[in-house]
């Protein structure tokens, strides 16, 4: 028993010392362990190829990024980028069939395509033996696609996208992003509309418009191809030249730089939705993807709402039990970002109780910054997540995805090292400074409340004929009081005491009929 007690004491002492060390020691992590070796090639037609060799399994990830998203859409033509993503799976000029079925037959996994504000990507993992098939398919829809677009395919995928839009907006709180994009980004800003676009614009999308979109943005020079896995870089380069080398570069594409629509003051909106409980959103406009200040904002989100020991979760959900959930995230996009705090209000609790609690905790954070323990926890979580991600060659967060993203948005496949260093070097003072710069003003507050359960009476009046008009009502006018001033002006007073208002009106016995004694129009001019 004494040995057990002594052992427990030593374990406890170790844990206390470890926690104390976390509060004071600098975060120590060897960034060289997270290196993703690659070779970069640029074909003569402008196509960028990134190759990463990973020989642990006989598979390869093919990830194609086109530097075009909804921010490239013109007014009145929203939703084109996402609609086109769907069309690209419907067959090309030399393979006029469903891409999903063809790729699944060769054993493809992690197979999909996505569109956001800034880019459209297509990705799949395939057995090494099927890599040529994947390259043939991707190159055929990049270089041989326009003539495969038919009115029938356009109408079909238009319907699919519109149904997707309905499904998304009919989900609880589904109109949030519509309201955020319109309220947080001014008219004319590329992020002023959602990625999926409007029903009206989707209905108006014509076949020629869609083909023009392909011509404008799907050229080789506006694309990055990343291949990672059990491959040889020089061999892959030759395969890509063979498959993609004859594809035209496409026209020059204009890309935005940083365009952060920082706001001042407070904007408030209230929406009703068919939801079981109220939800509060608080949103700030913040820096773009890759901005060092965006790295620090990740620590703000982590300290406020990441994990059950985070500040907002502990107070709102655990201690005071005024909310059922709370989250915070820094959503980075290529030219601007938004920082979001979200809380579901416990039924029966006033929204303002929760909102004020959020503001109080945020004010404390702005005043004191994060603790060293919070920094260490968030850094550990981040590096653990990144490390887990690069175990995979494909899919979201895998090595091919990281290399493609950093090439398109950061200008270099290894720009991710800049973020890793920024996350490692973040300090209490840097996080506090950035938080005050971006989150002390310019908040957009949205309350989404349950739509009440209204009921009808179940009865209606007789509508077979118009009702009869009743007898005329009697009208009681005020007693008029009259007087004449010494200059001959007559005064009439009609007195009512319903409102504290005095109204004067002066009438002269001379209108346009008096023009007979003067030039026509004199009375009106007077």
């Amino acid at each position: 028993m004494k040995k057990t007690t002594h052992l427990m004491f030593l374990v406890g002492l170790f844990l206390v010392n470890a926690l104390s060390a976390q509060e004071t020691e600098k975060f120590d992590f060897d960034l060289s362990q997270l290196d993703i070796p690659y070779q970069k090639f640029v074909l003569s037609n402008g196509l960028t190829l990134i190759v990463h060799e990973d020989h642990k399994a006989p598979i390869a990830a093919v990830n194609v990024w086109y530097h075009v998203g909804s921010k490239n859409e013109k007014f009145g033509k929203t939703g084109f980028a996402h609609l086109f993503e769907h069309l690209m799976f419907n067959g090309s000029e030399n393979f006029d069939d469903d891409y999903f079925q063809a790729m699944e037959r060769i054993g493809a996994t992690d197979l999909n395509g996505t569109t956001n504000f800034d880019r459209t990507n297509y990705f799949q993992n395939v057995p090494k033996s099927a890599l040529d098939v994947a390259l043939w398919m991707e190159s055929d829809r990049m270089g041989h696609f326009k003539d495969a677009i038919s009115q029938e395919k356009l109408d079909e995928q238009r319907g699919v996208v519109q149904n997707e839009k309905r499904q998304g907006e009919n989900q609880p709180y589904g109109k949030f992003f519509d309201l955020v994009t319109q309220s947080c980004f001014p008219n004319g800003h590329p992020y002023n509309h959602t990625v999926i676009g409007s029903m009206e614009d989707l209905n108006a999308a014509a076949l020629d418009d869609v083909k023009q979109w392909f011509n404008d943005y799907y050229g080789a020079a506006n694309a990055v191809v990343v291949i990672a896995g059990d491959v040889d870089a020089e061999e892959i380069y030759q395969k890509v030249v063979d498959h993609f080398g004859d594809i035209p570069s496409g026209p020059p594409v204009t890309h935005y730089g940083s365009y952060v629509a920082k706001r001042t003051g407070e904007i408030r909106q209230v929406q009703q939705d068919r939801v079981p409980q109220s939800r509060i959103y608080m949103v700030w406009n913040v820096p773009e993807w890759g901005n060092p200040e965006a790295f620090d904002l990740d620590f703000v989100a982590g300290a406020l709402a990441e994990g059950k020991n985070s500040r907002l979760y502990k107070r709102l959900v655990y201690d005071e039990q005024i909310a059922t959930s709370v989250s915070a995230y820094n959503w980075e996009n290529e030219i601007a970002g938004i920082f979001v705090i979200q809380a579901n209000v416990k039924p029966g609790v006033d929204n303002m109780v929760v909102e004020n609690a959020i503001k109080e905790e945020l004010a404390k954070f702005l005043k004191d910054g994060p603790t060293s323990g919070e920094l260490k926890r968030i850094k550990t979580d981040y590096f653990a997540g990144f490390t887990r991600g690069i175990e995979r060659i494909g899919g979201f967060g895998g090595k091919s995805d990281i290399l493609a993203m950093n090439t398109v948005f950061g200008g270099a496949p290894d720009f991710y090292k800049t973020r890793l260093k920024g996350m490692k070097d973040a300090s209490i003072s840097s996080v506090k400074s950035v938080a005050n710069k971006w989150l002390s003003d310019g908040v957009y507050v949205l309350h989404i409340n349950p739509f009440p359960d209204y009921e009808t009476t179940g009865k209606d009046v007789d509508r077979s004929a118009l009702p009869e008009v009743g007898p005329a009502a009697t009208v009681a006018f005020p007693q008029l009081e009259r007087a004449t001033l010494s200059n001959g002006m007559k005064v009439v007073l009609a007195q009512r005491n319903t409102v504290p208002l005095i109204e004067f009106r002066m009438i002269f016995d001379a209108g346009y009929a008096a023009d007979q004694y003067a030039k026509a129009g004199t009375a009106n001019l007077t």
Side-chain angles (χ1 to χ4, degrees):
M1 179 65 80
K2 290 183 179 179
K3 288 184 179 179
T4 303
T5 304
H6 183 63
L7 178 61
M8 293 296 291
F9 172 76
L10 290 176
V11 171
L13 183 62
F14 171 80
L15 291 174
V16 170
N17 289 336
L19 290 172
S20 298
Q22 284 186 355
E23 292 291 323
T24 57
E25 290 181 5
K26 185 177 180 181
F27 185 80
D28 188 21
F29 191 95
D30 183 4
L31 297 182
S32 64
Q33 298 180 63
L34 301 180
D35 184 47
I36 306 174
Y38 68 89
Q39 292 190 51
K40 178 180 177 181
F41 307 89
V42 179
L43 277 61
S44 59
N45 60 359
L47 179 73
T48 297
L49 168 66
I50 311 296
V51 183
H52 165 70
E53 296 186 26
D54 182 337
H55 300 286
K56 66 177 178 284
I59 60 174
V62 179
N63 204 327
V64 182
W65 277 48
Y66 296 92
H67 198 175
V68 57
S70 62
K71 77 169 182 290
N72 300 93
E73 296 163 352
K74 298 177 181 178
F75 179 78
K77 297 183 182 296
T78 63
F80 266 57
H82 181 243
L83 174 61
F84 204 85
E85 173 216 316
H86 281 251
L87 286 168
M88 288 279 273
F89 281 108
N90 260 31
S92 52
E93 294 170 11
N94 299 295
F95 184 82
D96 195 11
D97 203 349
D98 183 88
Y99 264 53
F100 281 105
Q101 293 184 21
M103 296 303 291
E104 287 170 354
R105 284 196 292 267
I106 65 171
T109 58
D110 260 340
L111 166 65
N112 212 334
T114 66
T115 308
N116 65 19
F117 282 139
D118 309 304
R119 62 96 185 102
T120 303
N121 66 350
Y122 303 90
F123 52 92
Q124 57 265 308
N125 291 354
V126 296
K128 179 181 178 180
S129 58
L131 180 57
D132 284 346
V133 178
L135 293 178
W136 189 97
M137 299 283 278
E138 290 292 357
S139 61
D140 205 57
R141 62 179 170 187
M142 180 187 292
H144 308 276
F145 180 74
K146 185 176 69 172
D147 290 341
I149 309 173
S150 65
Q151 186 65 49
E152 181 182 4
K153 289 180 179 179
L154 173 59
D155 292 340
E156 177 190 24
Q157 292 308 312
R158 187 203 325 265
V160 172
V161 171
Q162 289 180 327
N163 187 57
E164 183 181 337
K165 179 178 173 67
R166 292 187 195 97
Q167 288 179 328
E169 293 181 352
N170 284 334
Q171 292 180 9
Y173 316 102
K175 295 288 287 182
F176 162 67
F177 280 109
D178 269 325
L179 295 173
V180 166
T181 54
Q182 294 167 18
S183 300
C184 292
F185 296 101
N187 289 335
H189 193 283
Y191 295 164
N192 181 248
H193 65 275
T194 58
V195 174
I196 204 165
S198 73
M199 284 291 191
E200 294 77 15
D201 290 353
L202 289 169
N203 281 329
L207 189 60
D208 288 342
D209 294 331
V210 175
K211 291 187 176 185
Q212 188 61 49
W213 182 266
F214 177 79
N215 285 338
D216 290 345
Y217 296 109
Y218 276 74
N222 200 42
V224 172
V225 176
V226 178
I227 300 174
D230 189 17
V231 297
D232 175 79
E234 293 298 330
E235 181 181 342
I236 288 298
Y237 169 71
Q238 191 55 54
K239 286 178 178 291
V240 170
V241 169
D242 292 342
H243 286 86
F244 293 83
D246 69 329
I247 299 174
S249 65
V253 177
T254 301
H255 294 294
Y256 285 93
S258 175
Y259 191 176
V260 181
K262 194 175 190 308
R263 294 174 289 110
T264 58
E266 181 179 276
I267 300 174
R268 302 187 68 88
Q269 275 189 311
V270 178
Q271 183 200 29
Q272 289 185 324
D273 196 359
R274 299 190 186 279
V275 293
Q277 61 192 117
S278 294
R279 176 177 288 180
I280 297 172
Y281 289 98
M282 301 177 71
V283 185
W284 292 262
N285 290 54
V286 295
E288 72 283 0
W289 188 98
N291 188 313
E293 293 185 339
F295 308 158
D296 283 322
L297 287 170
D298 286 342
F299 289 91
V300 183
L304 290 176
E306 185 179 289
K308 295 185 178 180
N309 289 323
S310 61
R311 301 185 184 201
L312 289 176
Y313 189 95
K314 185 176 184 303
R315 176 172 175 181
L316 274 60
V317 180
Y318 187 76
D319 290 342
E320 298 184 9
Q321 299 185 17
I322 55 177
T324 59
S325 66
V326 62
S327 62
Y329 52 92
N330 179 36
W331 185 28
E332 296 176 50
N333 295 288
E334 185 181 12
I335 62 174
I338 58 173
F339 187 93
V340 181
I341 297 175
Q342 169 188 319
N344 282 3
V345 180
K346 185 177 180 179
V349 176
D350 186 270
N351 286 7
M352 292 309 300
V353 172
V354 178
E355 182 182 328
N356 289 334
I358 294 173
K359 288 180 175 179
E360 288 173 10
E361 290 302 317
L362 178 59
K364 292 177 186 176
F365 189 92
L366 296 179
K367 178 177 179 293
D368 301 325
T371 66
S372 56
E374 286 172 329
L375 283 184
K376 189 115 180 182
R377 170 177 62 81
I378 297 164
K379 291 181 182 184
T380 302
D381 287 347
Y382 176 80
F383 282 96
F386 186 89
T387 304
R388 292 190 194 98
I390 62 174
E391 287 183 309
R392 297 176 288 108
I393 58 171
F396 289 114
K399 287 184 282 192
S400 60
D401 191 51
I402 291 171
L403 292 172
M405 179 188 300
N406 284 271
T407 301
V408 172
F409 295 158
D414 59 356
F415 182 84
Y416 67 90
K417 294 180 179 179
T418 302
R419 179 181 293 274
L420 291 174
K421 187 176 186 308
M423 296 295 289
K424 178 182 177 181
D425 294 344
S427 64
I428 292 175
S429 60
S430 69
V431 173
K432 177 184 175 183
S433 174
V434 168
N436 277 276
K437 178 177 179 180
W438 293 100
L439 306 182
S440 61
D441 190 20
V443 65
Y444 164 68
V445 181
L446 171 65
H447 289 201
I448 300 181
N449 297 322
F451 187 69
D453 292 326
Y454 295 110
E455 294 181 354
T456 64
T457 61
K459 297 180 180 180
D460 199 1
V461 297
D462 181 7
R463 299 192 182 278
S464 61
L466 286 173
E468 294 291 334
V469 178
T474 58
V475 182
F477 292 102
Q479 186 70 32
L480 298 181
E481 300 179 47
R482 300 175 184 274
T484 303
L485 302 183
S486 59
N487 59 2
M489 179 180 287
K490 296 181 175 60
V491 179
V492 180
L493 174 64
Q495 188 170 352
R496 291 184 187 274
N497 297 315
T498 52
V499 293
L501 176 70
I502 298 176
E503 182 176 334
F504 291 92
R505 186 167 297 184
M506 186 174 291
I507 302 174
F508 293 90
D509 186 15
Y512 65 86
D515 284 347
Q516 59 183 310
Y517 304 112
K519 293 183 178 179
T522 302
N524 190 49
L525 177 63
T526 304

